[in-house]
Amino acid sequence: MRYLDLNCDLGESFGPYRLGEDEAVLAYVTSANVACGMHAGDPVVMRRTVQLCRERGVAVGAHPGYPDLWGFGRRPLPMTPEEVYAFVVAQVGALEAVARAEGVRLQHVKAHGALYNVSARDEATAAAVAEAVRRAWPDAILVVLSGSVSEQVARKAGLRVAREGFCDRGYRRDGSLVPRDQPGAVLTEPHEVASRAVRMAYGEPIDAVDGGQVVVQADTLCIHGDTPGAAELAAAVRAALEEAHVRVQPLGTWL
Amino acid sequence: MRYLDLNCDLGESFGPYRLGEDEAVLAYVTSANVACGMHAGDPVVMRRTVQLCRERGVAVGAHPGYPDLWGFGRRPLPMTPEEVYAFVVAQVGALEAVARAEGVRLQHVKAHGALYNVSARDEATAAAVAEAVRRAWPDAILVVLSGSVSEQVARKAGLRVAREGFCDRGYRRDGSLVPRDQPGAVLTEPHEVASRAVRMAYGEPIDAVDGGQVVVQADTLCIHGDTPGAAELAAAVRAALEEAHVRVQPLGTWL
Amino acid sequence: MRYLDLNCDLGESFGPYRLGEDEAVLAYVTSANVACGMHAGDPVVMRRTVQLCRERGVAVGAHPGYPDLWGFGRRPLPMTPEEVYAFVVAQVGALEAVARAEGVRLQHVKAHGALYNVSARDEATAAAVAEAVRRAWPDAILVVLSGSVSEQVARKAGLRVAREGFCDRGYRRDGSLVPRDQPGAVLTEPHEVASRAVRMAYGEPIDAVDGGQVVVQADTLCIHGDTPGAAELAAAVRAALEEAHVRVQPLGTWL
Amino acid sequence: MRYLDLNCDLGESFGPYRLGEDEAVLAYVTSANVACGMHAGDPVVMRRTVQLCRERGVAVGAHPGYPDLWGFGRRPLPMTPEEVYAFVVAQVGALEAVARAEGVRLQHVKAHGALYNVSARDEATAAAVAEAVRRAWPDAILVVLSGSVSEQVARKAGLRVAREGFCDRGYRRDGSLVPRDQPGAVLTEPHEVASRAVRMAYGEPIDAVDGGQVVVQADTLCIHGDTPGAAELAAAVRAALEEAHVRVQPLGTWL
């Protein structure tokens, strides 16, 4: 039996500002990464997002990021490991408390944006994130880029680890993602994206942009909710996976 | 046997900014109210403060406030009860997680500054704070102004409640504090302050500024750490209490 | 010859967040109140907004507010007059510099949200705002609620003053606005709103919600850009005014 | 006749937080770099600092930095040139307006912390800062690290440029500063620091840490106000310069 989780970023609104199509994408995913107030989100939004997830049966995770509201957590901020550790614990702690007060258990933690990317290649940052989860939520799953430094570090820390794949992003032969400013970085054709999702679910190789193929080991696939056509893409992926007899369920139920 | 707790505000530094004489006052208090990052404090400061408390055997509480760094949480911000609830849960959650990761249990919650004062007279705000504690940390103690609306509301919510008294502040006959901009608001003479602390510990009446006397029921006394002579005052209070055979211990050990 | 200005709030986006239909409403107004980064807006948004105004021939004003990003400047923050003064100067200074660097002159200043409303009834706050404009931009026009305390204070300070009217809001006989949570507060029927605009332009009385009529002296009318149907309403108002031979031009060209 | 300016960072307090010995160091310097609210400072502090400078006859400059209150502007934030440009204009605009309202003219602009350091080596960032000054304050002086990329870029932009030297920092033969985490980075012996200041004022070579000597062309020397012994050091430098017949005067009076 093949299991797979579909995750998306959620709760990125802030004060008067709305962002993302939270309601639309919730119909297709099984796990949500909820912003924790430092790169996006605020306590009121966090609570509403958790309630929404609870209603839809979507598992809740925390999505801590660099404290940079202007830059939406997409700019790498040179923080020391001690700072990363403390800021991750505080952010996840805020979200976990809001969720617990709604009767919702924290399933996972996934670093956001630049913090995710820096963790994927920088051992000290990855270790700070892993240490935060290990010390404060030892039962939570840490979602990491499949095959990255952060995967190695998280396993070494003894954490439950979920490997993330991107069915709408181009990969290189070495398993790394094609940077967003290069050709082939983003796939938008629903059929192609859905087909990749199924291949990833079964551990089958996909075409790499630099020739040859690559196997992306994935426990969860990232579904983007803020791009045009996002809901359509999510629907196509979900339908294709179910047709291929993949069990699409929250990580916590099978990992 | 008479028990009493001495509490002080701690961890109010932020980024490059130092505030308060945390080390000095820790020698005299038994509980610390640690700022949670929204009116003061930041995750790194929170962690160091918790570690410091652990070393000194001082119990840790969360000190959530209005999200207003410029105003240090001293300005009443017109927030809805829903907003107060969510912001308190998020702030306490951040601090509690940082503490838990250091092996330190959250003993209590005490609202800071304007949030404390508004809660003391406004039922909706008091209820929002109490609800936050009740839902997310049902075993934690909520520290409230003795005899205030927030005391009533907290008891009604079924919480463990600690009544706070101020041995260095003037009281009126009706049990209310003399506002800071009026004569008799603040006492600075160590002997007088210490003597009041002992009277409060034994439930004996103290002189009111508007004639007559008033009994202030207190489980914990607030020790200020950021005023000149604060450490001296704290030392005098602590010594007087011990001389009077009051057991000065963290709330959680006897309340 | 009758002159009238139409103003709207603009540049309220922030970092990754978009807000308002800036482009749509710019076709109908003659003056823009540009957020200055403390309740909404950021320097990059400020610059783009000024460039947009320049392209469309819309005059630029600064729209300072209470420093409260979460609350969008809609919550009255208890600030001292000294604080209000300094925060207004700093905000307008930021916007004015961004505009000047684009070759655009600051035409006016209008307080935003709660700061506008508090100024309309509280003399100390109104005086702090007026003093900020008088000392730093003595040639700028201060836009105030017609008939309010802030109008009196601004005139007394010797400023150029523009009285603002609201053609889509209900008025009471005494000239005050019907609060938003009461019936009759907001008008949405384009024909009625447009007709009111014309009556205001000619100093003719309009119906009050509490019986009788009221004359609203207006040099500028506020056009809302962030409500459904906003552009349609703006178009109706502008067309009606021009049909009635009112010259719709930026304040600075005729006041 | 030799002229030299002595500058220091000022106005770095924020809300309830005090930082630096502003009063002490003001007795020795001729120019102040005033924080603009995004890495430190706030509008009230900005105003008080400008008033203080006016009283002491110290010239006022703006000290814009990366928007990062937690990190005090000491962490390089990956901003695009467009972002740097807009954030510098907004910050300097805020300070300039506050100063102008006090009857004080903006003499200079000096980037703070990481923005200063990044500008010193990165042409795009340096150009964004220079462009901000050129477009909005063409008469202001831009203070740059002597011999750096930012000096070249500022001259090419046609700005008035002041070269900054550091009499209490170690230099390498190539004219670069010894990084703070390396031996010889900081000098604390008053006599030595003062002697270096005089040599720099007269264009005479100083010893480099890596052997040989280096000439540091300096129009202004940076005096640190927040380190222990700062005032003593400043006094020694000022006294030595005057004894050596160097005219210590604000940049704007002679550059």
Side-chain angles (χ1 to χ4, degrees):
Chain A
M1 190 66 74
R2 281 285 161 179
Y3 288 94
L4 195 73
D5 177 74
L6 295 179
N7 77 78
C8 71
D9 298 350
L10 230 70
E12 295 182 328
S13 294
F14 176 87
Y17 299 106
R18 302 273 77 80
L19 198 80
E21 306 282 332
D22 287 11
E23 299 258 353
V25 80
L26 270 176
Y28 307 108
V29 300
T30 45
S31 295
N33 320 307
V34 183
C36 303
M38 288 203 178
H39 71 274
D42 69 36
V44 172
V45 170
M46 283 155 66
R47 188 186 188 196
R48 285 191 197 140
T49 305
V50 165
Q51 291 172 333
L52 201 59
C53 289
R54 189 182 55 193
E55 283 168 24
R56 307 296 173 84
V58 170
V60 167
H63 202 34
Y66 285 121
D68 175 19
L69 204 58
W70 275 302
F72 199 56
R74 286 184 177 149
R75 307 188 289 207
L77 194 62
M79 294 174 78
T80 64
E82 288 70 26
E83 290 171 335
V84 169
Y85 167 85
F87 275 78
V88 168
V89 173
Q91 289 181 69
V92 179
L95 190 274
E96 191 271 336
V98 168
R100 185 158 33 81
E102 300 299 317
V104 172
R105 210 160 157 272
L106 182 79
Q107 176 195 248
H108 70 282
V109 173
K110 175 182 161 184
H112 165 84
L115 184 58
Y116 181 89
N117 295 331
V118 172
S119 298
R121 59 176 187 262
D122 177 60
E123 193 171 331
T125 300
V129 173
E131 181 72 357
V133 176
R134 193 188 65 77
R135 292 181 71 147
W137 300 276
D139 296 331
I141 296 165
L142 183 58
V143 175
V144 293
L145 180 64
S146 180
S148 68
V149 165
S150 47
E151 182 186 344
Q152 296 164 29
V153 166
R155 293 205 183 280
K156 210 167 134 190
L159 294 176
R160 297 171 71 196
V161 177
R163 297 160 301 179
E164 183 170 42
F166 294 82
C167 54
D168 61 353
R169 292 291 302 278
Y171 277 87
R172 290 183 290 213
R173 242 177 316 174
D174 63 2
S176 65
L177 289 165
V178 178
R180 282 185 178 275
D181 56 356
Q182 291 178 21
V186 179
L187 310 178
T188 55
E189 206 282 301
H191 193 73
E192 186 186 8
V193 172
S195 155
R196 282 199 164 212
V198 173
R199 298 190 72 80
M200 285 182 181
Y202 280 99
E204 296 166 1
I206 57 170
D207 290 341
V209 294
D210 49 357
Q213 291 199 309
V214 59
V215 172
V216 177
Q217 304 283 0
D219 304 306
T220 183
L221 298 182
C222 184
I223 300 295
H224 295 104
D226 51 356
T227 43
E232 192 195 353
L233 218 58
V237 168
R238 177 92 192 217
L241 287 168
E242 289 178 348
E243 200 175 320
H245 307 294
V246 177
R247 298 218 162 179
V248 183
Q249 286 180 205
L251 287 167
T253 63
W254 56 268
L255 189 74
Chain B
M1 188 66 74
R2 281 285 161 178
Y3 288 94
L4 194 73
D5 176 75
L6 296 180
N7 77 78
C8 71
D9 297 351
L10 230 69
E12 296 182 328
S13 294
F14 176 87
Y17 298 106
R18 301 275 77 79
L19 198 79
E21 305 284 332
D22 288 10
E23 299 258 354
V25 80
L26 270 177
Y28 306 108
V29 301
T30 45
S31 294
N33 320 306
V34 184
C36 304
M38 287 203 178
H39 72 272
D42 69 36
V44 171
V45 170
M46 284 155 65
R47 188 186 187 198
R48 285 191 197 141
T49 305
V50 165
Q51 290 172 334
L52 201 58
C53 289
R54 188 181 56 193
E55 283 168 24
R56 307 296 173 86
V58 170
V60 167
H63 202 34
Y66 285 122
D68 174 19
L69 204 58
W70 275 302
F72 199 56
R74 286 185 177 148
R75 307 187 289 206
L77 195 61
M79 294 174 78
T80 65
E82 287 71 25
E83 289 170 335
V84 169
Y85 168 87
F87 276 78
V88 168
V89 173
Q91 288 182 70
V92 180
L95 190 273
E96 192 270 335
V98 168
R100 185 158 32 82
E102 301 299 317
V104 173
R105 209 159 158 271
L106 182 79
Q107 175 194 251
H108 70 282
V109 174
K110 175 182 161 184
H112 166 83
L115 183 58
Y116 181 88
N117 295 331
V118 172
S119 298
R121 58 175 187 262
D122 178 59
E123 193 170 331
T125 301
V129 173
E131 181 73 356
V133 176
R134 194 189 66 77
R135 293 181 71 147
W137 300 275
D139 297 330
I141 296 165
L142 182 57
V143 175
V144 294
L145 180 64
S146 180
S148 68
V149 167
S150 48
E151 183 187 343
Q152 296 164 28
V153 167
R155 293 204 183 282
K156 211 167 136 190
L159 293 176
R160 296 170 71 195
V161 177
R163 298 160 300 180
E164 183 169 42
F166 293 81
C167 52
D168 61 352
R169 292 290 303 277
Y171 277 87
R172 290 184 289 213
R173 243 176 317 176
D174 64 1
S176 66
L177 289 165
V178 178
R180 282 183 178 277
D181 56 357
Q182 291 178 21
V186 180
L187 311 178
T188 55
E189 206 282 301
H191 193 74
E192 186 186 7
V193 172
S195 155
R196 282 200 163 212
V198 173
R199 298 190 72 80
M200 286 183 180
Y202 281 98
E204 296 167 0
I206 57 170
D207 291 341
V209 293
D210 47 359
Q213 291 199 307
V214 58
V215 172
V216 178
Q217 305 281 1
D219 302 307
T220 184
L221 299 183
C222 185
I223 300 295
H224 294 104
D226 51 357
T227 43
E232 193 196 353
L233 218 58
V237 168
R238 176 94 191 216
L241 287 168
E242 290 178 347
E243 201 175 322
H245 306 295
V246 177
R247 297 219 163 178
V248 184
Q249 285 180 204
L251 288 167
T253 63
W254 55 268
L255 190 73
Chain C
M1 191 66 75
R2 281 285 161 179
Y3 287 94
L4 195 73
D5 177 74
L6 295 180
N7 77 78
C8 72
D9 297 351
L10 230 69
E12 296 182 327
S13 294
F14 176 89
Y17 299 107
R18 302 274 76 81
L19 198 80
E21 306 283 332
D22 288 9
E23 299 259 352
V25 81
L26 270 177
Y28 306 108
V29 300
T30 44
S31 295
N33 320 307
V34 183
C36 304
M38 287 203 178
H39 71 273
D42 68 36
V44 172
V45 170
M46 284 154 66
R47 188 187 188 196
R48 284 192 198 140
T49 305
V50 165
Q51 291 172 333
L52 202 59
C53 289
R54 189 182 54 193
E55 284 168 25
R56 306 297 172 85
V58 170
V60 167
H63 202 35
Y66 284 122
D68 174 20
L69 205 56
W70 274 304
F72 200 56
R74 285 183 178 150
R75 308 188 287 206
L77 194 62
M79 293 174 79
T80 64
E82 287 71 26
E83 290 171 336
V84 169
Y85 168 86
F87 275 78
V88 168
V89 173
Q91 289 182 68
V92 179
L95 190 276
E96 191 270 336
V98 169
R100 184 157 34 81
E102 300 300 317
V104 173
R105 208 158 159 271
L106 182 81
Q107 175 194 250
H108 70 282
V109 174
K110 175 181 160 184
H112 166 82
L115 183 58
Y116 181 89
N117 296 331
V118 172
S119 299
R121 59 176 186 262
D122 178 58
E123 193 171 331
T125 302
V129 173
E131 182 71 357
V133 176
R134 192 188 67 76
R135 292 181 71 147
W137 301 275
D139 297 330
I141 296 165
L142 183 58
V143 175
V144 294
L145 181 64
S146 181
S148 68
V149 165
S150 47
E151 183 186 343
Q152 296 163 28
V153 167
R155 294 204 184 281
K156 210 167 135 190
L159 294 176
R160 296 170 71 194
V161 178
R163 297 160 301 180
E164 183 170 43
F166 294 81
C167 53
D168 62 352
R169 291 290 304 277
Y171 277 87
R172 290 185 289 213
R173 243 177 315 174
D174 64 1
S176 65
L177 289 165
V178 178
R180 283 185 177 276
D181 55 358
Q182 290 179 22
V186 180
L187 311 178
T188 55
E189 207 280 301
H191 193 72
E192 186 185 8
V193 172
S195 154
R196 283 199 161 211
V198 173
R199 298 190 72 81
M200 285 182 181
Y202 281 99
E204 296 167 0
I206 57 171
D207 290 342
V209 293
D210 47 358
Q213 291 198 308
V214 58
V215 172
V216 178
Q217 304 283 1
D219 303 307
T220 183
L221 298 182
C222 185
I223 300 295
H224 295 103
D226 51 356
T227 43
E232 193 196 351
L233 217 58
V237 167
R238 176 94 193 217
L241 287 169
E242 289 178 347
E243 202 176 319
H245 306 295
V246 177
R247 297 217 163 179
V248 183
Q249 286 180 203
L251 287 167
T253 62
W254 56 267
L255 189 75
Chain D
M1 191 66 74
R2 280 284 161 180
Y3 287 93
L4 193 74
D5 176 74
L6 295 180
N7 77 77
C8 71
D9 298 352
L10 229 69
E12 296 183 327
S13 294
F14 177 88
Y17 299 107
R18 301 275 77 79
L19 198 79
E21 305 284 331
D22 288 10
E23 300 257 353
V25 80
L26 270 177
Y28 307 108
V29 300
T30 44
S31 295
N33 320 306
V34 183
C36 304
M38 288 204 177
H39 72 272
D42 69 35
V44 172
V45 170
M46 284 155 65
R47 188 187 187 198
R48 284 190 197 144
T49 305
V50 165
Q51 290 172 333
L52 202 58
C53 288
R54 189 181 55 193
E55 283 168 24
R56 307 297 172 87
V58 169
V60 167
H63 203 34
Y66 284 121
D68 174 19
L69 204 57
W70 274 303
F72 198 56
R74 286 183 177 149
R75 307 188 289 205
L77 195 61
M79 296 174 77
T80 64
E82 287 71 25
E83 290 171 335
V84 169
Y85 168 85
F87 275 77
V88 168
V89 173
Q91 289 181 68
V92 179
L95 190 275
E96 191 271 335
V98 169
R100 185 157 32 82
E102 299 299 317
V104 173
R105 209 159 157 269
L106 181 80
Q107 175 194 251
H108 70 281
V109 174
K110 175 182 161 184
H112 166 84
L115 184 57
Y116 181 88
N117 295 332
V118 172
S119 298
R121 59 176 186 261
D122 178 58
E123 193 170 331
T125 301
V129 173
E131 181 72 357
V133 177
R134 193 187 66 76
R135 292 182 71 148
W137 300 276
D139 297 330
I141 296 165
L142 182 58
V143 175
V144 294
L145 181 64
S146 181
S148 68
V149 166
S150 47
E151 183 187 343
Q152 296 164 29
V153 167
R155 293 204 183 281
K156 211 167 136 190
L159 294 176
R160 295 171 72 195
V161 178
R163 297 159 300 180
E164 183 170 43
F166 294 81
C167 52
D168 62 353
R169 293 289 304 277
Y171 278 87
R172 290 184 290 212
R173 244 176 316 175
D174 64 2
S176 65
L177 288 165
V178 178
R180 282 183 178 275
D181 56 356
Q182 291 179 20
V186 179
L187 310 178
T188 56
E189 207 280 302
H191 193 73
E192 186 186 8
V193 172
S195 156
R196 283 200 162 211
V198 173
R199 298 191 72 79
M200 285 182 179
Y202 281 99
E204 297 167 359
I206 57 170
D207 291 342
V209 294
D210 48 358
Q213 291 199 308
V214 58
V215 172
V216 177
Q217 305 282 1
D219 304 306
T220 184
L221 299 183
C222 184
I223 300 295
H224 294 103
D226 51 356
T227 44
E232 192 195 353
L233 218 58
V237 167
R238 177 93 192 217
L241 288 169
E242 289 178 346
E243 201 175 322
H245 306 294
V246 176
R247 297 216 165 180
V248 183
Q249 286 181 205
L251 287 167
T253 62
W254 55 269
L255 189 76

